[in-house]
Structure formats: C-alpha cells, structure tokens
C-alpha cells in the first residue's frame, strides 16, 4: 500500500480512518530496522574512521600541492638566477609557465 504524507496527516488529525493494512506494513518495516542503541557504537566507530580518512586525504592533497608549488618556484628561481640569455630561453620559460597553469 502506498502512503502519502497528506493521508498520514489526515489520519493523525482524525479526518481519515486508519487503514489496518497500511499500519501493519509500517509496523513491519519499522521492526525490520536495526535498533539505534544496539548499533550506536559501531556507527560511531565507522563514522570516526570515515572522518579520519577524509582528513588524511585532505592533508595529503594540501601537502602535495605545496610540494608542487615549491618545486615550481624553485625551477623559476633557477631560470632567473642563470639569467635569460636568448629569445629561445624566454620562449621556453613562457611555455613552461603556460603548461603549469593548464
């Protein structure tokens, strides 16, 4: 049986007679659900593990981004410390900057 929120509200307000088949279906569904108290510790452990996984992945991604940024700055500083001696050096440097932004 399909139960809409409108008919449920009407039953609660007393404007509609309750359907025993629907009540039995709802009762059966609710009794098949696990009790929260029995599984609360297991749920907390799983949730905490998920949170730790997300924090670890976020930390690793930030560290990786920082390493790549550091390497990029180091490479650019080496180019500038050597000096750009020709037009081809400048074109190579410009191309490497464009490639790193993509």
């Amino acid at each position: 049986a399909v139960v809409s929120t409108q008919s449920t509200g009407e039953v609660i307000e007393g404007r509609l007679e309750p359907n025993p088949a629907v009540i039995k279906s709802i009762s059966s569904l609710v009794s098949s659900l696990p009790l929260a108290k029995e599984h609360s510790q297991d749920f907390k452990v799983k949730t905490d593990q998920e949170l730790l996984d997300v924090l670890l992945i976020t930390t690793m991604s930030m560290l990786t981004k920082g390493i790549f940024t550091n390497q990029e700055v180091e490479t650019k500083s080496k180019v500038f410390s050597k000096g750009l001696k020709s037009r081809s050096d400048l074109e190579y440097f410009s191309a490497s900057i464009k490639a790193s932004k993509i």
Side-chain angles (χ1 to χ4, degrees):
V2 177
V3 180
S4 72
T5 55
Q6 181 181 5
S7 63
T8 305
E10 290 173 351
V11 170
I12 291 171
E13 292 171 0
R15 293 186 286 155
L16 194 66
E17 285 295 315
N19 183 342
V22 172
I23 293 172
K24 185 176 179 181
S25 295
I26 292 171
S27 176
S28 174
L29 175 66
V30 169
S31 66
S32 70
L33 297 173
L35 296 175
K37 288 184 180 181
E38 292 176 10
H39 301 285
S40 64
Q41 185 60 30
D42 186 42
F43 177 77
K44 180 170 176 27
V45 168
K46 287 180 180 178
T47 305
D48 289 347
Q49 186 60 49
E50 291 285 331
L51 176 62
L52 289 175
D53 290 347
V54 168
L55 291 173
L56 178 64
I57 290 169
T58 303
T59 302
M60 290 176 64
S61 69
M62 295 302 291
L63 287 172
T64 303
K65 182 179 178 182
I67 289 168
F68 284 133
T69 302
N70 185 38
Q71 289 173 345
E72 183 180 350
V73 169
E74 182 183 359
T75 302
K76 290 176 183 177
S77 68
K78 284 180 183 178
V79 169
F80 282 119
S81 67
K82 289 180 182 177
L84 300 174
K85 297 180 179 152
S86 67
R87 182 179 170 99
S88 64
D89 288 344
L90 181 59
E91 289 170 353
Y92 173 77
F93 182 69
S94 297
S96 69
I97 291 175
K98 288 178 186 175
S100 67
K101 289 183 180 179
I102 294 175

